[in-house]
Amino acid sequence: MAFGYDLLTGRQGASGYCRKVGEKTEIHARGLEPGENCAVYELLPGRAEKCDEKTADGNGQIVFTCQSGNAFFVASKGRVRLWQGGEENYLRACEWMQKEKTKKEETQKSISSETSIAPPAAETEETIKEEPKAAQNILARDLEEIQRSEITEDREKMPEELPSPTIMTEIDETGKMESAGEPVPSAPEPSYTLRFPSTGEPVDALPN
């Protein structure tokens, strides 16, 4: 850092410099979009640590303040915009940003899968309310089946009723009643009585 100043390397129109102010370091960035949110990270072995975060003003400029003796970079929207040092520091910054992005995506997928598996609270409450009704319906069906089974068993135990003989009568050629099953008793014949003899002439007497 010559004369307390060090120019920063930028991309996508960003540029800037840093300078030592006592024990702190001021990072001046420009060429950003107005209102763009940016963060400055300190490069550490195998990782990075956020030092400061601000939003660009109407002119697209930001001034960060951090206390660090290590190299740093400025990132926005998951992209490296400014960095201190050569290409090696840029590659280290990009690698760490990619790891953080992948880790965040995996976390979001895990949360989404857990949310989809867990039933909604309203659905769970409705299920709990419907369980007693379902149990009552099952009990009612079981009682109905038991009653039907008992009725069937009682019918099987009862002796079968003999069908009453159906008497089919027919009239034969002689005018008598005949039955197809058991004989039908005939009507009693009328009894005849002899008349007392009279005083007149016999029926077989010849005329005079």
Side-chain angles (χ1 to χ4, degrees):
M1 183 178 293
F3 305 104
Y5 286 85
D6 191 9
L7 293 177
L8 303 177
T9 306
R11 60 190 301 268
Q12 295 181 344
S15 62
Y17 65 93
C18 64
R19 67 173 183 168
K20 294 288 290 186
V21 180
E23 295 181 357
K24 296 181 180 180
T25 301
E26 287 185 357
I27 303 168
H28 296 257
R30 57 179 179 268
L32 305 172
E33 296 179 4
E36 183 177 358
N37 188 52
C38 299
V40 58
Y41 295 87
E42 178 185 3
L43 275 172
L44 300 172
R47 63 186 182 88
E49 185 176 346
K50 183 187 290 186
C51 298
D52 197 3
E53 184 175 2
K54 290 184 179 180
T55 302
D57 60 15
N59 296 322
Q61 298 181 4
I62 302 176
V63 178
F64 298 101
T65 301
C66 63
Q67 186 172 358
S68 172
N70 297 310
F72 59 86
F73 67 93
V74 177
S76 172
K77 300 178 182 179
R79 298 171 297 177
V80 178
R81 300 296 302 276
L82 290 166
W83 67 93
Q84 184 184 25
E87 184 178 358
E88 181 181 356
N89 288 348
Y90 172 72
L91 295 176
R92 287 172 59 193
C94 290
E95 182 180 2
W96 182 83
M97 294 289 292
Q98 183 62 38
K99 287 181 180 179
E100 289 297 306
K101 181 181 179 181
T102 303
K103 187 186 301 183
K104 185 177 180 180
E105 291 176 351
E106 290 177 353
T107 302
Q108 290 178 349
K109 288 181 180 179
S110 177
I111 294 173
S112 300
S113 61
E114 291 177 359
T115 304
S116 61
I117 294 173
E123 182 179 352
T124 304
E125 292 177 359
E126 291 178 359
T127 304
I128 294 174
K129 291 179 182 179
E130 292 177 357
E131 284 182 354
K133 296 181 181 180
Q136 292 177 0
N137 294 335
I138 294 173
L139 180 60
R141 287 197 299 268
D142 292 343
L143 291 174
E144 186 177 353
E145 291 179 0
I146 292 173
Q147 292 176 355
R148 289 178 180 176
S149 177
E150 291 178 353
I151 293 173
T152 303
E153 292 178 357
D154 293 341
R155 288 180 177 177
E156 291 178 352
K157 293 179 181 180
M158 293 175 61
E160 296 182 358
E161 297 181 358
L162 296 175
S164 56
T166 302
I167 300 175
M168 301 295 293
T169 59
E170 295 180 358
I171 302 176
D172 60 2
E173 296 177 356
T174 60
K176 295 182 179 180
M177 304 293 292
E178 292 183 355
S179 63
E182 296 179 355
V184 180
S186 59
E189 297 180 357
S191 59
Y192 298 93
T193 55
L194 297 176
R195 186 178 57 182
F196 291 100
S198 62
T199 55
E201 294 180 355
V203 177
D204 56 352
L206 297 174
N208 292 327

